[in-house]
Amino acid sequence: MKASKDDGTRWEGVGFGLSLGVLATLNQYKLPPVLQILLERYDYDRVLAGGFMSVYALVGLLLSVPAGRALDRFGFRLVEAACALFAAGSLLTLAWPESGALVLVGRALEGVGYTLLAIAGPALANRSAGPAQVGFVAGIMATWVPVGQLVANGIALPFANAGNWQAVWLAALAFTLAVFLWSRRMRRRGVGFAPPPNGGRPGALGQAERRSLVLASLVFLLFSGQYIGFMSWLNQYLVAAQGLSAAGAVGAASVAAGAVLVFNVLTGAAFRAGLPLAPAFVGSLVIEAAAWLAVPHVEGLVGLGVLALYGVACGVTPVCLFAMPALIVGRERVGAGAFGVLMRGRNVGVLAGPLLVPLLLERLGGWDTVWPVFGALTLGAGLGAAWLATHVGRDGAGQALRR
């Protein structure tokens, strides 16, 4: 794998790691843009429909830590197995979409693939980064969620009003095949998951390191619960509560995802330049909480502006979180196992968020109950971020990531 002449960064590894994350997110987020179509055509129970998203997280909750250890050992073989699972799950849904139970099984198979790639992508990219680029690579890798969302939305846009959800599944299958072939090519060339720069294996985690990773995982849980929960049902909210068409909802939902993407990259660049961790990490979560509290009081262009501001803040938070393993463990020792601990919390949030929204809607009185609950979750994440920023990133993310 070709390395940068000046700092040892293997950019092909970074690019492939990003592709793995995008593929994982595309398969998860191919559902929300066409969820309304599926609900109308197949009359799924809403809680079951939320489970189509949350089953990804349930599988990840169970498998994240062992998956991280297995990826350190087997590398690209498990990447290719993940692609096969995506294909199997997609084909099952295409064959029997009228059966909610079989769709759930198909999504569970995809969830195993997602769990593997959601760890493999960041781990491979971080191991491929040179000392001066770890913060920037963290920013690049944080884009895998919004890029995957935007790809899914872009694919769905011309088909949403026509009710052709199958086209989205077929496009995801084509992308899955492309990544599978890329993985085979890299493995034939003898490329593996790059070892730490000292040539050794990722070190065992100390007690203090594991505690800090668990707290980072809890922050990820709260952040992802409100973010993934809202994004999973945003299209439905825009159609049902704001009166937009299916295509109009896809376009409006892309505003927040686009803001997240832009600020993932900008935050990574700012970290490379020495941006301190604390104001970025804590400040982004405070802005998100404020946006939740403002939502009931705004509409129209102002509401769209609040949604964009929320997307900006959500672009900063995951960069800080994906930087945590390198800050806590050290760039020389970080491996897939550390990311497995981090991703366990994210998976709990992804599990709970999409299920929490319909429960709030159907049991507690509508969208007005969603905003304060998600605001409280985000404030809780901010408290955890404040502790981590003080104890882990006290010397500034830019400097710490270049140790």
Side-chain angles (χ1 to χ4, degrees), residues 127-142:
R127 291 195 199 177
S128 299
Q133 301 291 349
V134 177
F136 185 57
V137 168
I140 293 174
M141 277 311 304

Side-chain angles (χ1 to χ4, degrees), residues 30-374:
K30 64 191 178 187
L31 177 66
V34 296
L35 178 58
Q36 183 66 21
I37 298 169
L38 293 169
L39 287 172
E40 291 175 356
R41 187 169 300 175
Y42 304 111
D43 196 27
Y44 301 132
D45 178 81
R46 285 198 176 196
V47 175
L48 175 64
F52 294 161
M53 290 291 288
S54 294
V55 71
Y56 269 57
L58 177 60
V59 172
L61 173 62
L62 297 174
L63 299 181
S64 285
V65 173
R69 295 172 184 153
L71 280 161
D72 276 329
R73 181 176 180 183
F74 297 107
F76 284 99
R77 288 180 173 83
L78 288 184
V79 169
E80 291 153 20
C83 291
L85 288 166
F86 280 133
S90 295
L91 291 172
L92 189 61
T93 299
L94 285 167
W96 292 284
E98 68 280 357
S99 171
L102 288 179
V103 172
L104 187 63
V105 171
R107 295 289 285 177
L109 292 175
E110 295 174 16
V112 178
Y114 179 96
T115 299
L116 291 167
L117 297 194
I119 297 169
L124 179 59
N126 271 266
R127 291 195 199 177
S128 299
Q133 301 291 349
V134 177
F136 185 57
V137 168
I140 293 174
M141 277 311 304
T143 68
W144 60 275
V145 174
V147 168
Q149 286 180 266
L150 289 171
V151 170
N153 286 347
I155 293 169
L157 190 58
F159 302 106
N161 283 343
N164 186 4
W165 65 269
Q166 293 91 338
V168 183
W169 259 247
L170 292 172
L173 276 171
F175 189 18
T176 300
L177 177 61
V179 170
F180 177 85
L181 294 175
W182 190 359
S183 178
R184 295 283 292 178
R185 172 178 172 272
M186 293 180 74
R187 187 149 66 92
R188 282 198 301 269
R189 291 171 50 209
V191 176
F193 273 46
N198 62 7
R201 292 185 176 273
L205 298 175
Q207 187 175 9
E209 292 170 339
R210 183 169 289 278
R211 279 199 303 266
S212 294
L213 280 171
V214 168
L215 179 56
S217 182
L218 289 173
V219 173
F220 219 156
L221 184 161
L222 296 173
F223 166 75
S224 61
Q226 54 90 29
Y227 177 73
I228 302 295
F230 183 54
M231 288 299 171
S232 297
W233 290 92
L234 177 57
N235 293 72
Q236 173 70 6
Y237 166 72
L238 292 170
V239 171
Q242 298 296 322
L244 297 183
S245 67
V250 171
S254 297
V255 172
V260 170
L261 170 60
V262 170
F263 277 83
N264 284 158
V265 178
L266 290 179
T267 303
F271 278 176
R272 182 171 59 181
L275 174 71
L277 178 69
F281 200 7
V282 180
S284 64
L285 288 162
V286 170
I287 291 172
E288 290 160 37
W292 284 123
L293 297 177
V295 164
H297 309 292
V298 296
E299 58 184 14
L301 290 177
V302 176
L304 192 61
V306 170
L307 186 62
L309 182 62
Y310 173 78
V312 167
C314 289
V316 177
T317 306
V319 180
C320 301
L321 286 163
F322 281 117
M324 278 294 138
L327 286 169
I328 293 168
V329 179
R331 190 183 65 85
E332 295 81 5
R333 296 174 52 241
V334 68
F339 281 94
V341 175
L342 182 71
M343 295 301 290
R344 172 177 279 178
R346 181 184 185 275
N347 286 323
V348 175
V350 175
L351 171 64
L355 292 175
L356 180 60
V357 172
L359 289 174
L360 291 173
L361 292 177
E362 296 184 359
R363 307 288 172 83
L364 295 179
W367 286 100
D368 286 343
T369 64
V370 173
W371 318 132
V373 170
F374 278 9

